[in-house]
Amino acid sequence: MMDATRAEVCATACADSWDDAGEVLASPFGLIPALGARLARLTTAPDLLLTDGEAVLLAEPPPLGRESEAATAEGWMPYRRVLDLLAGGRRRVMMGATQIDRHGNQNISRIGPWERPKVQLIGVRGAPGNSVNHVTNYWVPKHGVRTFVERVDLVCGVGHDRATGAAGRFHDVRVVVTDLAVLDFAGPDRTMRLRSVHPGVTVREVQERTGFELDTSAVAETRLPSAEELALIRGRLDPDGLRYREVPA
Amino acid sequence: MRDKLVSPDEIAGRLRSGMTIGIGGWGSRRKPMALVRAILRTEVRDLTLVSYGGPDVGLLAAAGRLRKVVHGFVSLDSIPLDPHFRAARQRGELAVAEYDEGMVLAGLRAAAARLPFLPTRAGLGSDVPALDPELRTVRSPYPDGEELLAMPALRLDAALVHLNRADRHGNAQYLGPDPYFDDLMCAAADHGYLSCERVVPTEELLRGGPVQSLLLDRTHVDAVAETPRGAHFTSCTPDHERDEAFQRRYAAAAADAASWQAFHDEFLAGDERSYQAAVDAAREVNG
């Protein structure tokens, strides 16, 4: 076994979030999730649909950063079709999170009050619709108490405690992958649980960098990439090493 | 058939303070920037803007022309957030109605079909309804009984869009990979205003692309302006790509009032011709 870097462990953990997705559109936000979706497409999830980040569905996964190079299109997916398709549920995303709480409520809109935010962020984007329509996962490249908070300033992505009624019918927030760990919502009352720590990371370290108490009753170690996965990451999907911009080696 | 060809300034001259205006494109892609610059040359203010936001929002916010922005995001794509929009918000100067991207689409579709609302799942459970106390839910009359969000129609006084080609009557064509929502913006508006890279005779339209690329028909367009490189500095594939260097300069100018004044004086103090000339001059200086 070659030594895998932390970024590569993160990429395979992200890939695992798509392994049972079937024939749906994969929408990764961030470099490591994009690497993960493409890795899943070449290994455990061969039926995934991938885009070039704009309006083209690509027949084969492109290397990171080379999405616009000549590639075979297998379909057309402009933004309005993405919005229609996600309402039909045939999509699985991995979004970012400026804040996330123990129930999986996520914020990417603003920090501070509505009328005069301390920090204006991107806006709710598609987070409300994604989280009530299809499987939604999150990627946090720098696990810390500023992100993992007791209470988010604005609920964009819907968490388990608020997924009631029609909002709960297709709600399925599953995992949060970070540079330290994989977390899910299998704790008491569907609260956040530490599922696994990446090799070299301790449970205590993750808890110290989390702003609320985690369920740590059954923590495993995140799996290492296989030799095949490492070869695909290094040789085919990210030969330029863009993954280290998000998670330094 | 009516000849609708006018100048960008004539289109801007048809707008009034206090209007609700929809702007087409998406983020920093195919925005009707020449029309936005034409608005900056008028006295129009207190606008409510509906936009999949980009530098259109930023420019109008920086000039103090906006009362409210209705949006799902305001992004420059290669720069995650428009810094002029961010600065205006953080100074507490700008009201916003922030919706899920799909809610904006539902609101435009409702307006285009003259419906009061469309039901949608997007927004339920999130803080979006709490941010807009006027939002209501609607219960399905069928056995499922689901209670969904009733997204109100986003009716527009005017829509501004930029496409690649058009004829003088308002038939218009996109040649890039994505139509965005420009046809819906025009359908949701009392008046549709179009700028394009090049006006061509009707019989030449299909030389550029297949019949499906004719996104707008003339029922939705009141006036047409020819504005070559009129989406600059956003992308207008295949006529021109995004001017990343210029966009970085625009973003950096949000740092303080002095740097914004300098940017304004260099690029925005004159007409569209002097803007394009200043862009070329800046490109030569910077290589």
Side-chain angles (χ1 to χ4, degrees):
Chain A
M1 166 59 71
M2 297 171 280
D3 284 337
T5 64
R6 179 67 57 79
E8 290 160 348
V9 170
C10 292
T12 51
C14 289
D16 287 348
S17 78
W18 272 285
D19 66 1
D20 63 343
E23 200 153 37
V24 303
L25 176 66
S27 291
F29 293 84
L31 291 165
I32 300 276
L35 185 52
R38 292 169 202 191
L39 187 60
R41 167 75 172 71
L42 291 176
T43 56
T44 57
D47 294 324
L48 277 183
L49 280 68
L50 298 170
T51 77
D52 65 345
E54 296 203 27
V56 175
L57 289 170
L58 296 172
E60 292 296 328
L64 275 188
R66 300 186 194 174
E67 290 76 7
S68 58
E69 287 177 19
T72 301
E74 66 162 337
W76 185 47
M77 191 57 67
Y79 288 121
R80 82 172 68 184
R81 275 174 79 155
V82 174
L83 294 175
D84 287 337
L85 178 134
L86 78 86
R90 289 176 194 172
R91 182 170 180 250
R92 182 177 295 195
V93 301
M94 181 169 267
M95 281 189 287
T98 306
Q99 294 178 323
I100 191 163
D101 72 15
R102 70 173 69 220
H103 300 287
N105 295 296
Q106 167 252 29
N107 175 24
I108 49 173
S109 171
R110 70 175 56 77
I111 305 296
W114 168 248
E115 295 301 336
R116 186 174 182 171
K118 185 160 168 261
V119 184
Q120 173 71 46
L121 303 167
I122 185 84
V124 301
R125 290 221 74 150
N130 293 345
S131 55
V132 298
N133 276 304
H134 54 62
V135 175
T136 297
N137 298 306
Y138 294 105
W139 160 244
V140 175
K142 198 163 166 44
H143 193 129
V145 293
R146 284 159 63 105
T147 301
F148 288 83
V149 295
E150 190 66 47
R151 195 179 161 81
V152 302
D153 287 38
L154 188 87
V155 176
C156 303
V158 177
H160 289 279
D161 58 332
R162 298 170 63 121
T164 57
R169 189 170 165 200
F170 305 112
H171 181 271
D172 196 354
V173 172
R174 293 191 183 175
V175 298
V176 184
V177 178
T178 80
D179 59 334
L180 301 182
V182 180
L183 306 109
D184 61 23
F185 296 90
D189 295 325
R190 296 187 299 177
T191 54
M192 202 180 282
R193 178 186 75 150
L194 183 54
R195 177 191 285 187
S196 69
V197 289
H198 301 336
V201 178
T202 65
V203 172
R204 188 177 162 185
E205 193 179 345
V206 176
Q207 181 60 75
E208 280 175 357
R209 293 212 213 165
T210 303
F212 50 83
E213 197 178 339
L214 291 166
D215 178 356
T216 56
S217 55
V219 183
E221 185 166 274
T222 310
R223 76 175 180 91
L224 287 165
S226 69
E228 182 203 3
E229 287 171 322
L230 281 180
L232 288 170
I233 291 171
R234 295 170 182 178
R236 176 163 172 186
L237 292 174
D238 187 21
D240 304 327
L242 299 188
R243 59 193 178 280
Y244 298 118
R245 292 187 188 173
E246 267 184 4
V247 178
Chain B
M1 283 182 283
R2 283 197 287 153
D3 184 346
K4 300 173 183 171
L5 196 61
V6 299
S7 71
D9 290 303
E10 282 180 72
I11 288 177
R14 297 192 192 183
L15 305 178
R16 295 288 171 263
S17 293
M19 276 187 167
T20 297
I21 292 180
I23 293 191
W26 169 281
S28 191
R29 301 171 199 211
R30 221 181 67 234
K31 285 286 176 178
M33 297 298 282
L35 297 182
V36 171
R37 290 186 284 269
I39 294 175
L40 298 180
R41 295 192 290 272
T42 69
E43 297 299 315
V44 170
R45 55 188 62 252
D46 292 327
L47 295 172
T48 294
L49 203 59
V50 178
S51 181
Y52 289 95
D56 51 328
V57 177
L59 269 178
L60 291 167
R65 304 306 183 92
L66 302 178
R67 177 165 58 196
K68 187 175 182 182
V69 181
V70 179
H71 72 98
F73 62 85
V74 182
S75 173
L76 301 178
D77 295 321
S78 52
I79 298 170
L81 179 69
D82 183 287
H84 299 275
F85 170 74
R86 165 178 269 175
R89 284 286 293 145
Q90 293 176 186
R91 288 193 302 264
E93 292 173 0
L94 195 55
V96 290
E98 192 166 298
Y99 298 132
D100 172 89
E101 291 167 27
M103 290 172 68
V104 177
L105 176 57
L108 292 172
R109 281 182 172 151
R114 298 184 294 182
L115 295 170
F117 69 89
L118 275 176
T120 175
R121 201 177 304 281
L124 294 176
S126 77
D127 274 339
V128 166
L131 296 175
D132 183 350
E134 290 178 14
L135 283 178
R136 297 285 181 271
T137 58
V138 60
R139 187 172 290 282
S140 164
Y142 299 107
D144 56 86
E146 279 199 75
E147 190 177 358
L148 297 160
L149 203 71
M151 180 63 199
L154 291 172
R155 193 72 214 168
L156 308 172
D157 295 310
L160 307 177
V161 300
H162 183 81
L163 275 82
N164 300 89
R165 302 284 176 272
D167 66 16
R168 307 170 73 96
H169 313 297
N171 298 300
Q173 179 178 44
Y174 74 105
L175 297 175
D178 199 318
Y180 310 119
F181 302 86
D182 292 358
D183 50 339
L184 270 172
M185 286 277 183
C186 290
D190 292 341
H191 299 284
Y193 297 119
L194 166 74
S195 62
C196 65
E197 291 292 315
R198 196 145 59 81
V199 171
V200 297
T202 307
E203 60 269 25
E204 280 186 25
L205 285 169
L206 286 189
R207 287 188 207 156
V211 71
Q212 309 92 286
S213 64
L214 294 173
L215 186 67
L216 293 178
D217 64 70
R218 55 196 167 81
T219 64
H220 287 130
V221 177
D222 289 66
V224 182
E226 187 175 55
T227 57
R229 216 162 64 173
H232 183 273
F233 49 92
T234 69
S235 63
C236 187
T237 310
D239 290 309
H240 58 85
E241 295 306 314
R242 185 181 304 132
D243 187 343
E244 295 285 358
F246 190 91
Q247 175 163 286
R248 281 195 297 276
R249 209 167 151 187
Y250 156 83
D256 55 62
S259 56
W260 180 244
Q261 188 62 48
F263 182 92
H264 177 275
D265 292 347
E266 183 171 357
F267 297 107
L268 301 174
D271 60 9
E272 179 68 14
R273 176 176 289 200
S274 67
Y275 170 82
Q276 296 288 355
V279 168
D280 285 335
R283 186 177 291 128
E284 282 185 18
V285 169
N286 299 322

